[in-house]
Amino acid sequence: MTDRTPQPVQRPRSALFKTLAVGLGLGVLVLLELGLRFSTLAPPTREEWSRENGVISIEHYYSQFSEHFVILGQGEDGSICGPSPEHTMHGSSEADAMQPDQFLCKKPDGVTRIAVLGGSSVQGFMLRDSQTIPSRLEWHLTKAGHSNVEVINAGVAGYNTLQIRRLVPELWTFEPDMLVVYAGHNDYTYYPAIEAALKASGALRTTRGLGDKLATWRLLRSVARAAGILPKPRQSTMDRYAGSRPQARAVFQVDPLAVPRNRSARRQLVQEQHQADENIAAFYEENLTWLDQEARIRGVDLVMVTPVARMEWKPSGSVHWKDLDDDELLAWEAIWKGTTQRAQRIAGGADPTRQQNLDPEQVTAAMAIDDTFADLVFLAARSAHQQGRTQEAVELYREAYELTPPTRSDRAPLRHAERVLKLSRRLGRTSVDLRPVVDSNARIPGLPGQGLFLDGMHFSVRGADLAARAISEGISEDWK
């Protein structure tokens, strides 16, 4: 008779060892995690590291968006609104000059309310509130006979068109009749940060966030970075000072472009720059198209203004757009080294007619090999300016400006202005082209300089007034 008594299951010894090994490993990790947490050996979290180094992570910056306009108090005619303290600058001479705009939260009857959107050029970098583009626009419109016009300064230092897009829903509360958008520079300035943020999927950001909470993971990450397995966190290239805000520091984390050492790598770099330029153009168009649609739903007018900049400002980067072979590159680099040694004292933005340390022959020799390297073309412009060849200098300055690689440019190129005008025509919206305004009012025609700009892109008092007057004329023409 067969014994049917159930027999105990015999687990394979190898499976038992595996289970014990996994349990032991998890136990070690738990003990290590607890030990790190209760000691001073745990590497800082991303947030802690950011605070210590004056930088905030790109992912955090572009995923977080706090309210911009808040109720600041009560006045005789009702609640008073304006930018929250987080979005105004304090603690330095630069910050104190950027006074927040204040207005009645509820639009008064019979008032035409205009909101001007943009970055620090709109907000008023280094200008008093009465000198900003929005303030001067209101003054010029009133002078032109448009009574009961109120202009809100909705510019935020550092904002690109994606952040402007996120800000706009707040504005509908204040019932604007028109939106004026002066944007484009920050789409280029911030492109490396924008690209990194847009590429990071939600799952990737979630995984990073969970891993960052584990001290063990942070330790492994630190070891991998020290060994060169993982790239080190990017440091801010922005000078640290007491009044510098995390918002501004977050985007000034631009690593220098890698120097390609062979022809194939150089071609790849040029291709990447062309693609980046197309991406930035699409980024701007997508955000402004969305803004146009939202404005149409509410019957709000939209005016698009072309960004302008200072032409004789030193480029913020260079690439060899020309397809050089290795021998040509070596010859060019030898000349370039000699040229830069003589020109090392040149500072961006200085009066080019005062520089006497350029060797015209070296500049000409290098240009003969490659005349597409922005820094070299800029030196050629300086050289021509010193020798009194003004018109040639103007053309070279403008060319150097246009040759700056998109991923390292701190200003929108001239071709971007054409895109703004083309998009405005496609959308059937009013546009204002500021290029002829700054070109014709420059000390040297066609070469907008320090009389109109404080640096590479921020308007001086005169520049802001000229821009506001041109926008006022464009609006007045549209209102006829």
Side-chain angles (χ1 to χ4, degrees), residues 29-206:
L29 288 176
V30 170
L31 290 175
L32 178 60
E33 178 72 19
L34 292 174
L36 289 172
R37 283 178 179 269
F38 290 102
S39 70
T40 59
L41 300 177
T45 64
R46 288 174 183 266
E47 185 175 348
E48 292 169 343
W49 181 89
S50 298
R51 285 199 301 267
E52 292 172 3
N53 292 273
V55 179
I56 66 175
S57 72
I58 291 169
E59 291 87 348
H60 176 80
Y61 179 55
Y62 280 94
S63 63
Q64 303 297 317
F65 188 80
S66 58
E67 189 175 46
H68 178 71
F69 290 108
V70 296
I71 297 176
L72 299 175
Q74 295 293 324
E76 294 181 0
D77 298 320
S79 300
I80 298 174
C81 288
S84 67
E86 180 183 350
H87 293 282
T88 55
M89 304 181 76
H90 298 284
S92 71
S93 56
E94 169 192 317
D96 295 337
M98 300 178 73
Q99 301 298 325
D101 189 26
Q102 298 183 7
F103 51 90
L104 288 173
C105 302
K106 180 175 175 55
K107 184 175 70 173
D109 294 337
V111 168
T112 299
R113 180 170 274 181
I114 300 172
V116 185
L117 294 148
S120 52
S121 295
V122 170
Q123 189 178 26
F125 177 80
M126 294 295 287
L127 301 178
R128 294 187 176 89
D129 180 56
S130 61
Q131 299 169 335
T132 64
I133 289 177
S135 293
R136 298 307 299 164
L137 174 59
E138 183 173 316
W139 187 89
H140 281 292
L141 286 171
T142 302
K143 184 181 178 182
H146 303 292
S147 58
N148 295 326
V149 171
E150 179 188 39
V151 181
I152 294 175
N153 188 338
V156 186
Y159 268 27
N160 55 51
T161 52
L162 173 61
Q163 293 159 301
I164 290 172
R165 173 175 170 174
R166 291 176 176 177
L167 170 64
V168 165
E170 289 187 50
L171 288 174
W172 302 140
T173 305
F174 309 120
E175 303 176 81
D177 300 287
M178 174 182 289
L179 301 180
V180 176
V181 182
Y182 178 86
H185 289 315
N186 289 336
D187 286 4
Y188 278 84
T189 304
Y190 297 5
Y191 180 71
I194 294 170
E195 183 183 46
L198 295 180
K199 282 183 176 179
S201 65
L204 178 59
R205 287 196 296 268
T206 301

Side-chain angles (χ1 to χ4, degrees), residues 203-216:
L204 178 59
R205 287 196 296 268
T206 301
T207 303
R208 285 178 178 174
L210 292 174
D212 201 48
K213 296 181 184 300
L214 299 175
T216 307

Side-chain angles (χ1 to χ4, degrees), residues 197-344:
L198 295 180
K199 282 183 176 179
S201 65
L204 178 59
R205 287 196 296 268
T206 301
T207 303
R208 285 178 178 174
L210 292 174
D212 201 48
K213 296 181 184 300
L214 299 175
T216 307
W217 169 256
R218 299 199 301 272
L219 178 63
L220 293 174
R221 185 175 62 195
S222 298
V223 172
R225 283 173 173 170
I229 300 173
L230 290 177
K232 293 183 178 180
R234 291 190 286 183
Q235 299 284 344
S236 173
T237 58
M238 185 178 186
D239 293 335
R240 295 181 63 183
Y241 59 91
S244 176
R245 293 173 306 154
Q247 174 189 328
R249 291 195 298 269
V251 293
F252 285 91
Q253 302 175 61
V254 181
D255 298 325
L257 284 172
V259 180
R261 304 313 305 172
N262 59 68
R263 195 170 195 174
S264 176
R266 290 193 294 276
R267 287 174 175 173
Q268 178 65 29
L269 177 60
V270 168
Q271 183 179 352
E272 290 173 357
Q273 294 303 311
H274 284 304
Q275 184 61 56
D277 196 50
E278 293 179 9
N279 291 345
I280 295 169
F283 180 80
Y284 177 93
E285 181 173 340
E286 177 186 349
N287 292 321
L288 267 293
T289 300
W290 176 91
L291 179 55
D292 168 71
Q293 294 170 348
E294 292 294 306
R296 287 187 188 279
I297 292 173
R298 294 163 177 81
V300 175
D301 291 332
L302 176 64
V303 177
M304 299 168 60
V305 185
T306 61
V308 288
R310 182 172 175 173
M311 289 292 104
E312 30 76 281
W313 193 259
K314 191 176 185 302
S316 51
S318 300
V319 297
H320 290 283
W321 296 99
K322 187 176 180 179
D323 188 17
L324 301 176
D325 60 35
D326 293 342
D327 291 337
E328 289 174 324
L329 181 63
L330 288 173
W332 183 92
E333 287 181 337
I335 302 172
W336 173 247
K337 183 177 180 180
T339 303
T340 52
Q341 284 177 344
R342 291 180 60 87
Q344 61 183 348

